[in-house]
Amino acid sequence: MNIVRALNRRAAFSIVPRHAAPLQRRNCTAYAGEIRKVTGEELEVALANREKPMIVDFYADWCGPCVLLAKELEQVAQELGDSVQILKVDTEIEKALASQLRIQGLPTMIFIGMDPEKPALRTEGLLPANSIKDIVLNELMEPAAPAESGA
């Protein structure tokens, strides 16, 4: 499958350490960014045509932490808006893709930046919205060009 090759071309996955920040209750009913559920084929197209950093959430409906992560991703979508693309892949439907990507623990997120030389980042388990947002802002976004000084 091309998606596996595309991710492997980016180098091996890095494991992002779990952050110790506790989850806090948040009221999220609406969000600015879009979270889309995609198939393996749709994910492949999204990877080939991406114009912004991407978070891919591998989940299952029966997974309690996956349900909690969905709420955290809604908050990330609300706060970051259209600056990041958030996609969800149901591992019960996309079993072959989950197997090829060695998705063993749920939820698993893969963070894919714009720099093709930089490896994709991978986490397993529930992360709070602030930690997800920090990964996107610090690891996936292109740094702003420094202003030239007249000195």
Side-chain angles (χ1 to χ4, degrees), residues 41-98:
E41 292 80 20
E42 292 168 330
L43 178 58
E44 190 172 330
V45 170
L47 279 170
N49 299 319
R50 81 179 170 280
E51 297 173 355
K52 53 190 159 190
M54 184 181 295
I55 301 171
V56 183
D57 172 27
F58 290 87
Y59 75 99
D61 289 332
W62 50 261
C63 168
C66 297
V67 173
L68 295 173
L69 179 63
K71 293 177 182 169
E72 298 300 311
L73 287 172
E74 286 178 9
Q75 181 171 342
V76 170
Q78 179 182 16
E79 292 177 13
L80 296 181
D82 290 332
S83 64
V84 66
Q85 186 174 16
I86 303 174
L87 304 175
K88 296 177 71 66
V89 177
D90 187 338
T91 58
E92 290 295 306
I93 295 172
E94 298 293 333
K95 290 180 181 183
L97 176 61

Side-chain angles (χ1 to χ4, degrees), residues 68-144:
L68 295 173
L69 179 63
K71 293 177 182 169
E72 298 300 311
L73 287 172
E74 286 178 9
Q75 181 171 342
V76 170
Q78 179 182 16
E79 292 177 13
L80 296 181
D82 290 332
S83 64
V84 66
Q85 186 174 16
I86 303 174
L87 304 175
K88 296 177 71 66
V89 177
D90 187 338
T91 58
E92 290 295 306
I93 295 172
E94 298 293 333
K95 290 180 181 183
L97 176 61
S99 176
Q100 287 178 327
L101 293 175
R102 296 184 179 109
I103 305 295
Q104 296 176 348
L106 294 178
T108 293
M109 285 184 288
I110 298 178
F111 297 84
I112 305 163
M114 296 304 299
D115 182 356
E117 300 299 316
K118 204 169 185 182
L121 303 172
R122 178 179 178 141
T123 65
E124 285 185 12
L126 180 60
L127 288 178
N130 287 339
S131 296
I132 297 168
K133 197 168 92 174
D134 286 345
I135 292 169
V136 171
L137 295 175
N138 296 323
E139 301 294 333
L140 303 184
M141 297 288 192
E142 296 292 325

